[in-house]
Amino acid sequence: MNQSETSKYLATGTLRKKLKPLIYGLAIVISLFHLWVNTFGTISEFWRNSLHLGMLGAIGFLIYPLQEGFKARSSIIVDLGLSMLMLFSSVYFILVEDALIERNLELTGIDSVVGVVAIVLTLELARRTSGIVIPLLGIFFLSYILWWGKFIDGAFYFRGLRLTRVLYRMCFTDEGLFGTTTSISSTSVFMFVLFASFLLIGGGTDFIIKLAKALTKKITGGSGLVAVLASGLMGTISGSAIANTVSTGSITIPMMKRTGFQADFAAGVETAASVGGQLMPPVMGAGAFIMSQWTGFPYQTIISVAFLPALMYFATVGFYVWLTAGKNQLRIVDEPTTQIPHLRQEGITFILPITVLVGLLILGYTPTYAAGYSILAVIVSSWLSDRPMKLKDILDALALGAKNMVVTGILLVAAGLIIGTIATTGMSITFSQILIDWSGGNLFLALISIALASLILGMGLPVTAAYIMLAVLAAPALENMGISLLAAHLIIFWLSQDSNVTPPVCLAAYAAAGIAKTSPLKAAVCAWKLAKGLYIMPLLFAYTALIDGSWGERLLVFGFGSIGLFILTTAIVGFCGRPLNRLVRVVLFTLSLIVFKLVQSI
């Protein structure tokens, strides 16, 4: 880099630094707005969703720049312009709401231009935050509904709609950009992301790591089990595989490497365990809130049903780690200073807020209300610990929550465009009928088809987007085959989690590989093998009483199913106290299938 380029680089860096206070302040305002609108605010759903998009878009273009480095100086101006344009668009939709009604819902030229701008900006920000696949899908479905659907013969023929009619539905109603997924994003998802940020700043995650290390320090492969246990505990508050990986992996992955685990295996363990962050109640991923909205089941029902399967998933990962450690004769974690953390001084900032959250959900309060009071519980509990939160800590938590919400929020808004076009065309009904016809009404073949579709979608889409696509298209087919509504969505929800472990878009594996200093592809492959529960559990949902049975039946399935999972893992690893030959492994594999068949009869 020559002197001229160096000076440009430094000037750009200085300009970026000057934006940090603006980003920090805007993030705090965004979080305060969502706290207000989800507790005391009374604005309409359309206004809330519109401002939600505008605010996240405004900060998103600043956090995720068009370019990095010295060439990015001009792009900073572009990013600032796009940021203001996104905010302007969202306010414009609110201001013209009454005028649009007076015009009998006819759009003017300016209305159309602003609508196009909002869609383009949303897809561009989705590209910056989640990759190219989501924008391409948005363009694909929008062009289908506008133009080329009428050139297709057969079941997917669609006569098309005028541009103004599509823009009206996508930008000026509670469909499209401001539909169900955006409502979920601006309420439950934002509040739970903010709650996790407060727990992180308040020291709750430190307690999780210390507790996990203390409980597993005398067990073979304990460093790997620390990752499993810590990710399970972290999953109760984060609902994000990536957040899980970064927060716990920075400690557990180096620890695993020190005790003899290979770097790619260590990264795989952390990734597979962190995937459970979206499966472990009470704070599951964004897809769980979407599931609640679409199925009509209260969020409390979903998390109560999801608890035992989540435990079984973490058990499969733990079995694999423990047996692999024994097979490779890895040493026990030797950290004599590791003690059970003091509950009052260190654990109260985790235990009290989680207790408040679960208690309010059990009492029937809404998730947003429960999350709001749980955030307050984090602050109050910190004052009872040895790390009281100060005003700066509270502001940092508010800012962190808004920043962490950008990726998920924009993803859900962009997904609304895809859902809106699918709903308009009736494509979900057509796809479901094709799936039923192709499988011949055979449930197992249908599950295999959905799993393959999930695997393919997972190569290019994040988890929530994969779940949304499959839920819209495939859930009706499973219902028609006799699967209950909740079980159908849980099957798809679990299968879609492989997006975190299937390249090329497997952000959790990438994050773990970066910490472990190994190949992202190797880490993803290891994680995919460790996360085999993502494919086994949906079969139990479909063929056993694990979801729809009584609590007694569920516990029986949980117990015997866990035994079957251990036997299966032993057969895969080839070790159980000593190395196993191929014949024994085949026998054990067959025995695991017999156990699963017995579980089906419960």
Side-chain angles (χ1 to χ4, degrees), residues 462-477:
V463 169
T464 305
Y467 165 68
I468 289 171
M469 289 290 296
L470 285 172
V472 170
L473 296 174

Side-chain angles (χ1 to χ4, degrees), residues 172-322:
F172 295 88
T173 68
D174 57 359
E175 301 178 38
L177 289 177
F178 310 119
T180 301
T181 53
T182 305
S183 292
I184 296 166
S185 176
S186 63
T187 54
S188 303
V189 175
F190 195 103
M191 292 295 286
F192 276 81
V193 168
L194 189 59
F195 170 59
S197 299
F198 269 86
L199 270 174
L200 179 65
I201 299 296
T205 53
D206 294 339
F207 168 75
I208 290 172
I209 296 292
K210 290 179 181 179
L211 179 63
K213 289 168 68 175
L215 293 177
T216 60
K217 65 179 181 179
K218 296 297 182 182
I219 303 175
T220 301
S223 60
L225 296 178
V226 168
V228 178
L229 182 57
S231 293
L233 292 171
M234 187 67 183
T236 63
I237 61 173
S238 72
S240 168
I242 300 172
N244 239 344
T245 302
V246 173
S247 58
T248 61
S250 58
I251 298 172
T252 60
I253 290 175
M255 186 191 307
M256 282 187 274
K257 291 174 66 178
R258 286 198 304 270
T259 54
F261 285 103
Q262 295 294 320
D264 53 346
F265 187 81
V269 170
E270 180 58 46
T271 302
S274 295
V275 166
Q278 294 192 326
L279 305 174
M280 176 61 76
V283 183
M284 299 168 67
F289 297 107
I290 298 171
M291 189 190 310
S292 175
Q293 185 77 16
W294 284 354
T295 62
F297 285 97
Y299 184 71
Q300 295 89 325
T301 300
I302 291 174
I303 62 175
S304 66
V305 168
F307 180 65
L308 291 180
L311 288 181
M312 294 176 73
Y313 173 80
F314 280 105
T316 63
V317 180
F319 294 155
Y320 202 111
V321 171
W322 182 63

Side-chain angles (χ1 to χ4, degrees), residues 429-509:
I429 300 174
T430 303
F431 184 88
S432 296
Q433 190 58 51
I434 290 174
L435 180 60
I436 293 172
D437 292 342
W438 183 88
S439 63
N442 184 290
L443 177 59
F444 184 74
L445 288 178
L447 290 173
I448 295 297
S449 301
I450 295 171
L452 290 173
S454 173
L455 188 64
I456 294 170
L457 287 175
M459 293 179 180
L461 290 177
V463 169
T464 305
Y467 165 68
I468 289 171
M469 289 290 296
L470 285 172
V472 170
L473 296 174
L478 291 178
E479 288 184 73
N480 289 334
M481 292 182 181
I483 301 297
S484 70
L485 176 61
L486 183 55
H489 277 266
L490 280 171
I491 287 169
I492 293 170
F493 182 69
W494 272 68
L495 291 174
S496 65
Q497 300 303 315
D498 65 1
S499 292
N500 278 310
V501 294
T502 49
V505 179
C506 46
L507 300 181

Side-chain angles (χ1 to χ4, degrees), residues 355-416:
T355 302
V356 170
L357 177 64
V358 174
L360 290 176
L361 289 174
I362 291 174
L363 291 174
Y365 290 95
T366 64
T368 53
Y369 187 90
Y373 270 91
S374 299
I375 290 171
L376 183 62
V378 174
I379 299 172
V380 173
S381 62
S382 74
W383 295 340
L384 303 175
S385 72
D386 56 359
R387 287 183 55 182
M389 292 184 73
K390 299 179 176 61
L391 177 60
K392 179 65 166 60
D393 297 321
I394 295 172
L395 294 177
D396 287 347
L398 290 169
L400 181 64
K403 292 176 184 178
N404 288 346
M405 186 61 202
V406 171
V407 175
T408 302
I410 296 301
L411 169 64
L412 290 173
V413 174

Side-chain angles (χ1 to χ4, degrees), residues 119-189:
I119 291 174
V120 171
L121 291 180
T122 300
L123 293 178
E124 164 59 13
L125 191 51
R127 182 194 67 80
R128 296 190 189 188
T129 57
S130 302
I132 193 62
V133 176
I134 294 172
L136 288 179
L137 283 173
I139 294 170
F140 173 84
F141 282 105
L142 286 172
S143 61
Y144 168 77
I145 199 174
L146 282 169
W147 175 56
W148 58 268
K150 59 189 175 185
F151 297 110
I152 299 177
D153 294 327
F156 288 105
Y157 169 81
F158 184 73
R159 59 187 178 84
L161 293 175
R162 290 182 294 113
L163 175 62
T164 53
R165 182 49 42 188
V166 173
L167 290 174
Y168 169 74
R169 298 190 67 156
M170 296 297 126
C171 300
F172 295 88
T173 68
D174 57 359
E175 301 178 38
L177 289 177
F178 310 119
T180 301
T181 53
T182 305
S183 292
I184 296 166
S185 176
S186 63
T187 54
S188 303
V189 175

Side-chain angles (χ1 to χ4, degrees), residues 25-194:
L26 181 58
I28 292 172
V29 170
I30 292 172
S31 289
L32 289 175
F33 166 77
H34 284 84
L35 278 172
W36 171 76
V37 80
N38 283 298
T39 51
F40 308 109
T42 56
I43 65 174
S44 70
E45 181 179 1
F46 178 77
W47 284 31
R48 182 196 66 220
N49 290 349
S50 185
L51 290 173
H52 174 72
L53 171 60
M55 289 180 171
L56 289 185
I59 195 174
F61 280 111
L62 302 180
I63 296 176
Y64 298 92
L66 182 63
Q67 288 180 308
E68 297 283 359
F70 72 91
K71 294 181 180 180
R73 191 176 186 186
S74 59
S75 83
I76 296 176
I77 307 301
V78 174
D79 292 332
L80 281 169
L82 295 179
S83 174
M84 291 185 286
L85 194 57
M86 179 65 96
L87 191 58
F88 165 78
S89 299
S90 69
V91 174
Y92 181 87
F93 295 139
I94 293 172
L95 295 178
V96 301
E97 185 179 23
D98 292 336
L100 189 61
I101 295 174
E102 293 175 0
R103 295 197 302 266
N104 294 321
L105 309 182
E106 290 294 327
L107 301 187
T108 65
I110 297 178
D111 295 339
S112 298
V113 169
V114 174
V116 170
V117 167
I119 291 174
V120 171
L121 291 180
T122 300
L123 293 178
E124 164 59 13
L125 191 51
R127 182 194 67 80
R128 296 190 189 188
T129 57
S130 302
I132 193 62
V133 176
I134 294 172
L136 288 179
L137 283 173
I139 294 170
F140 173 84
F141 282 105
L142 286 172
S143 61
Y144 168 77
I145 199 174
L146 282 169
W147 175 56
W148 58 268
K150 59 189 175 185
F151 297 110
I152 299 177
D153 294 327
F156 288 105
Y157 169 81
F158 184 73
R159 59 187 178 84
L161 293 175
R162 290 182 294 113
L163 175 62
T164 53
R165 182 49 42 188
V166 173
L167 290 174
Y168 169 74
R169 298 190 67 156
M170 296 297 126
C171 300
F172 295 88
T173 68
D174 57 359
E175 301 178 38
L177 289 177
F178 310 119
T180 301
T181 53
T182 305
S183 292
I184 296 166
S185 176
S186 63
T187 54
S188 303
V189 175
F190 195 103
M191 292 295 286
F192 276 81
V193 168
L194 189 59

